[in-house]
């Protein structure tokens, strides 16, 4: 009898699954895309786990057009105008259920700015956090970045200079860039650095822990059941606190606890990031979640931007020479009066800014997550049923020939300088996709990211020359919805030009 019941249950489950899959297939049958993507989520999960997700976007949109099925309830959108429409504050589009996958524990108590789906709650949290990201309202943010940038320069200068014919000291710049960005973001969040640069080591095991968790976590977001589980507060008792990032959560709990525990009074007047967020009204649990969110979202993506700028410059001799020419002229003319360069001065350097934008345009650090609508909508002439997740496909959108020209797939910083005012405005609006804009979901930390990238590239190319150790395989890159980049091996030699008249050296 038991076997009969079990067999009947299995048959009914298979029938339910088949009917459900057929219903989802019917819902999106009018939208082009790969066959297997229509009937199972495993097709797209495989791309994420293999690190092929971001690169596959170009192939899929080249073959199928601006709207492509990626899973039974999930589509990609590459049309820049329609992407902007989704981000409009008055649009019916909101964050899709997949965002709940990024909670640090099940239920609303595990929410951070990364996982909140309620638009009003998200807007309130953005307003509270924005003061911490505004460097003008917080003491020492730029000075903190300066300190770490010059630490990076000093490490290269003392340990990794190659003298042709005498000393050969190759450097894995990919790893060093990771150490820099994680030290900056931990200093920003906690006023306590992980000390990765100082030791040239993943001292807390944070980077390896994050890199090991990224692909599984990002793939879980595609599974309809996982976001539902993360909406069940009752599961909190069996879910490890901090989720995939327990070491980071432990540090956050310790540092945040000082602001609410016995040390709270003596730290009350401290004008730092945590202080501004406490003053803005964040509770202790909220503050723990937000500091962890900073680290997991900000470190790897900024590191990707720095690596991309380095690689494109080393493989583009004309751009390499043009940037160093601009740096040398700025130093000789007195336009730059201190080292490291101030962020305000760096932002005025036309070619440096063009290199930054062009690099991030071609290697956008992350694939941003999907939106959905409670009503049926039309995108690029296709009906998108209510509840279907729509992900902006930024890689193909940022290579639009209509916006960036016929050579949109190639690295050419001059496109940002030679264009007219109307075209420049359109390019800038589209470039904001890199940080999730222009929309109400735009990344709060983009100013800090830009500051790091400008300063690092200026100081490195002011003092050193770089060549690739292996030009035929310059790095290992996996696109698991964010880029995970390793093994960018370079050879470094010193330049003659290291300063300018009246140069003030900051230490």
């Amino acid at each position: 009898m038991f076997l009969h019941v079990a067999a009947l249950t299995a048959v009914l489950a298979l029938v339910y699954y088949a009917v459900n899959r057929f219903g989802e297939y019917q819902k999106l049958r009018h939208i082009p895309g790969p066959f297997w993507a229509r009937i199972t989520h495993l097709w797209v999960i495989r791309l994420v786990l293999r690190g092929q997700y971001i690169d596959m976007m170009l192939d899929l949109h080249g073959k199928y057009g601006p709207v492509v099925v990626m899973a039974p309830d999930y589509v990609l959108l590459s049309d820049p105008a329609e992407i902007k429409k989704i981000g409009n504050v008055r649009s019916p589009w909101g964050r899709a259920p997949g965002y709940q996958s990024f909670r640090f524990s099940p239920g609303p108590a595990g929410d951070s700015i990364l996982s909140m789906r309620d638009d009003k709650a998200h807007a309130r949290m953005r307003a509270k956090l924005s003061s911490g990201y505004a460097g003008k309202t917080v003491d020492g943010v730029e000075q903190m970045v300066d300190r770490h940038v010059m630490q990076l320069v000093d490490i290269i200068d003392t340990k990794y200079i190659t003298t042709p014919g005498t000393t050969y000291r190759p450097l894995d710049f990919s790893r060093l860039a990771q150490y820099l960005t994680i030290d900056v973001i931990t200093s920003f969040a906690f006023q306590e650095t992980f000390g990765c640069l100082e030791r040239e080591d993943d001292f807390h095991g944070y980077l390896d822990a994050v890199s090991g968790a990224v692909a599984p976590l990002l793939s879980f977001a595609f599974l309809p059941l996982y976001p539902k589980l993360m909406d069940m507060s009752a599961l909190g008792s069996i879910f490890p606190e901090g989720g995939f990032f327990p070491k980071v959560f432990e540090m956050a709990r310790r540092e945040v606890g000082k602001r609410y525990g016995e040390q709270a009074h003596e730290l009350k007047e401290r004008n730092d990031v945590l202080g501004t967020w406490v003053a803005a009204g964040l509770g202790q649990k909220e503050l723990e979640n937000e500091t962890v969110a900073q680290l997991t979202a900000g470190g790897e993506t900024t590191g990707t931007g720095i690596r991309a700028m380095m690689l494109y410059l080393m493989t583009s001799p004309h751009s390499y020479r043009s940037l160093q020419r601009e740096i040398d002229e700025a130093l000789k003319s007195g336009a730059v009066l201190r080292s490291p360069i101030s962020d305000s001065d760096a932002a005025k350097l036309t070619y440096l800014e063009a290199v930054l934008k062009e690099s991030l345009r071609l290697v956008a650090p992350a694939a941003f997550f999907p939106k959905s609508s409670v009503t049926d909508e039309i995108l690029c002439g296709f009906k998108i049923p209510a509840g279907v997740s729509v992900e902006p496909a930024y890689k193909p959108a940022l290579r639009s020939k209509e916006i960036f020209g016929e050579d949109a797939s190639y690295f050419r910083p001059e496109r940002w300088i030679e264009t007219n005012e109307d075209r420049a405005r359109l390019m800038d609006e589209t470039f904001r996709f890199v940080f999730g804009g222009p929309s109400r979901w735009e990344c709060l930390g983009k100013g800090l990211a830009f500051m790091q990238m400008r300063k690092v590239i200026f100081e490195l190319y002011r003092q050193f020359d770089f060549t690739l150790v292996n030009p035929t395989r310059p790095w290992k890159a996996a696109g698991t919805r964010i880029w995970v980049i390793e093994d960018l091996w370079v050879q470094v030699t010193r330049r003659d030009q290291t300063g300018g008249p009246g140069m003030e050296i900051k230490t």
Side-chain angles (χ1 to χ4, degrees), residues 17-45 68-76 222-224 383-390:
Y17 178 82
V19 170
N20 192 46
R21 289 284 81 81
F22 181 74
E24 289 184 333
Y25 171 83
Q26 289 289 100
K27 185 165 58 176
L28 297 180
R29 65 179 301 179
H30 60 293
I31 297 177
F35 171 75
W36 289 108
R38 300 177 180 282
I39 60 176
T40 176
H41 294 84
L42 296 179
W43 185 84
V44 69
I45 288 172
V68 180
V69 172
M70 287 296 280
D73 55 356
Y74 202 102
V75 300
L76 285 178
F222 282 106
L223 295 171
K383 177 185 174 182
I384 308 297
V388 168
S389 296
V390 177

Side-chain angles (χ1 to χ4, degrees), residues 78 87 89 98 116 128 130 160-161 178-179 192 194 206 210-211 223-224 277 304 340 417 427 471 480 486 493 498 503:
S78 67
V89 70
M116 288 178 176
K128 292 178 180 180
S130 59
Y160 293 104
I161 297 298
Q178 277 187 310
Y179 296 155
E192 177 187 330
F194 271 4
Y206 165 77
V210 170
S211 63
L223 295 171
W277 289 346
T304 294
I417 300 169
M427 289 168 59
T480 60
E486 301 173 329
T493 55
T498 58
M503 177 67 68

Side-chain angles (χ1 to χ4, degrees), residues 151-153 155-157 160 171-183 196-201 207 306-307 460 488:
Q151 188 179 14
L152 171 70
V153 170
I155 288 170
I156 294 174
D157 190 52
Y160 293 104
L171 163 67
D172 180 5
F173 186 81
S174 176
R175 199 67 171 171
L176 213 55
Q178 277 187 310
Y179 296 155
L180 168 73
T181 56
I182 200 61
D183 277 0
C196 294
L197 265 180
E198 178 185 352
R199 298 176 177 87
E200 285 189 69
D201 183 56
L207 295 170
I306 293 171
R307 297 182 193 110
L460 292 183
L488 177 57

